Amino acid sequence: MTVPLREELRGIQPYGAPQLDVPVQLNVNENPYAPSEAVVADVAAAVADATRTLNRYPDREFTALREDLAAYLGHGVTPAQVWAANGSNEVMLQILQAFGGPGRTAVSFAPTYSMYPEYARDTMTRWVVGHREEDFSLDLGHAADVIATERPSVVLLPSPNNPTGTALPHEVIGTLAELCAAYDGVLVIDEAYAEFRRSGTPSALELLGAYRNLVVTRTMSKAFALAGARLGYLAAAPEICDALRVVRLPYHLSAVTQATASAALRHAPELLGNVELLRAERDRTVSWLREQGHRVADSDANFCLFGTFADRHAVWQGLLDRGVLIRETGPDGWLRVSIGTPEEMSAFRDALTATLEAAPLIEERA
């Protein structure tokens, strides 16, 4: 049977990193520290309580959760400025459903998160990608030219960036927000990895009061070790949240998801303590890679991008053969490793050293 698939979707492979059963999995930026027994018990109790009313639809406004998220974010964010969905992926898709669509354009600057063009494709939004500088920073002159030419309704930029880990300074975000506003566009700063920022790196949340077209998205998958719960959220002007209500599916956020997220937020200090461990391990990994002579992008995330290799796939395969799975992504020649436990990162260092010693011809290229 030939299914009536949209023509532009024919032959496309579904998105997803390899899911392989290997001892050390460092390819999808997960938090390696499972929730503690205290978190497990609190979530279990909250879910049990929610289960007693599963014959009823959940609170479609997820009022209690929005209050909890606003309190966690701080920076004067109110519940009316908070929206949530099933992972930041659904949040982004809803943004493109509301503000993109046929006849409209979304813009980003590569290298950037590989799902962005898929959100645009799925909402039939025209996709345009500019470029970043060699150090993965954003040239404002180039960005201004692209925005002036394309007049996008949505600009999507991760900060810290995925896959590079680099963050955007406030002056860049403010200028971009002003450029987008000139064409009635919204600027989305994707802060999925915000909790892993180095000391002194600011959050775009600080700018919400100054730019009403600014949207700051977050996730509970990384810092809160809730990748399996699927809870993403954003902070923005209330009118932006109201617009998303138009495109959301009825009762899109289950009672179980709402209960799980609120329970985890009650344990924020404990969970963010593990974030501190990962930040320290990331900095050690960056230093070690540089000591070995590799190029490494400055990272404010829970991963680092390193290279560059004449045959990066051979390096990736060599690591896999030694029981370590990382991600073959980003610009040509680069690889990305998620930050794991000290034991996992030791295994990564040993595997990378052994791989390059076994095949010196794939070592770093000029």
Side-chain angles (χ1 to χ4, degrees), residues 1 11 18 22 39 44 76 96 184 242 261 264 269 275 358 364:
M1 173 184 174
V22 297
V39 176
L96 267 294
D184 295 324
D242 288 342
V275 167
E364 194 149 355

Side-chain angles (χ1 to χ4, degrees), residues 159-215:
S159 180
N161 187 37
N162 184 4
T164 67
T166 46
L168 293 170
H170 270 6
E171 55 268 26
V172 170
I173 295 173
T175 300
L176 290 173
E178 292 173 357
L179 291 169
C180 291
Y183 304 105
D184 295 324
V186 296
L187 171 64
V188 181
I189 301 298
D190 180 355
E191 289 195 341
Y193 302 94
E195 286 89 349
F196 299 96
R197 303 188 316 275
R198 291 171 294 176
S199 177
T201 302
S203 167
L205 290 170
E206 299 173 10
L207 301 176
L208 279 175
Y211 304 102
R212 296 196 68 83
N213 66 329
L214 177 61
V215 179

Side-chain angles (χ1 to χ4, degrees), residues 274-293:
N274 289 332
V275 167
E276 291 301 317
L277 296 176
L278 292 168
R279 289 171 66 181
E281 194 63 42
R282 172 202 62 208
D283 293 343
R284 282 192 289 270
T285 301
V286 169
S287 295
W288 180 82
L289 285 167
R290 287 173 175 166
E291 288 167 2
Q292 308 311 302

Side-chain angles (χ1 to χ4, degrees), residues 213-294:
N213 66 329
L214 177 61
V215 179
V216 182
T217 65
R218 293 281 186 98
T219 182
M220 294 189 75
S221 294
K222 315 300 181 182
F224 281 87
L226 283 185
R230 311 305 299 129
L231 195 288
Y233 59 104
L234 63 76
E239 55 264 35
I240 288 178
C241 296
D242 288 342
L244 298 181
R245 286 180 170 85
V246 177
V247 299
R248 61 106 181 265
L249 294 174
Y251 309 104
H252 72 290
L253 211 54
S254 79
V256 170
T257 299
Q258 293 179 44
T260 298
S262 286
L265 285 164
R266 289 194 286 271
H267 295 266
E270 173 194 338
L271 293 167
L272 295 181
N274 289 332
V275 167
E276 291 301 317
L277 296 176
L278 292 168
R279 289 171 66 181
E281 194 63 42
R282 172 202 62 208
D283 293 343
R284 282 192 289 270
T285 301
V286 169
S287 295
W288 180 82
L289 285 167
R290 287 173 175 166
E291 288 167 2
Q292 308 311 302
H294 301 297

Side-chain angles (χ1 to χ4, degrees), residues 88-222:
S88 57
N89 303 105
E90 187 176 57
V91 170
M92 291 289 183
L93 186 64
Q94 290 175 341
I95 290 170
L96 267 294
Q97 287 175 317
F99 305 118
R104 294 190 171 193
T105 299
V107 160
S108 192
F109 297 86
T112 193
Y113 184 36
S114 56
M115 274 297 296
Y116 290 164
E118 297 201 19
Y119 304 144
R121 179 201 68 199
D122 292 349
T123 58
M124 290 176 281
T125 305
R126 179 171 169 265
W127 176 249
V128 173
V129 61
H131 64 80
R132 289 175 178 256
E133 298 298 281
E134 187 175 348
D135 64 354
F136 305 126
S137 63
L138 193 61
D139 178 77
L140 280 175
H142 169 66
D145 288 343
V146 172
I147 292 171
T149 300
E150 305 299 338
R151 299 181 175 230
S153 58
V154 180
V155 173
L156 297 168
L157 282 171
S159 180
N161 187 37
N162 184 4
T164 67
T166 46
L168 293 170
H170 270 6
E171 55 268 26
V172 170
I173 295 173
T175 300
L176 290 173
E178 292 173 357
L179 291 169
C180 291
Y183 304 105
D184 295 324
V186 296
L187 171 64
V188 181
I189 301 298
D190 180 355
E191 289 195 341
Y193 302 94
E195 286 89 349
F196 299 96
R197 303 188 316 275
R198 291 171 294 176
S199 177
T201 302
S203 167
L205 290 170
E206 299 173 10
L207 301 176
L208 279 175
Y211 304 102
R212 296 196 68 83
N213 66 329
L214 177 61
V215 179
V216 182
T217 65
R218 293 281 186 98
T219 182
M220 294 189 75
S221 294
K222 315 300 181 182

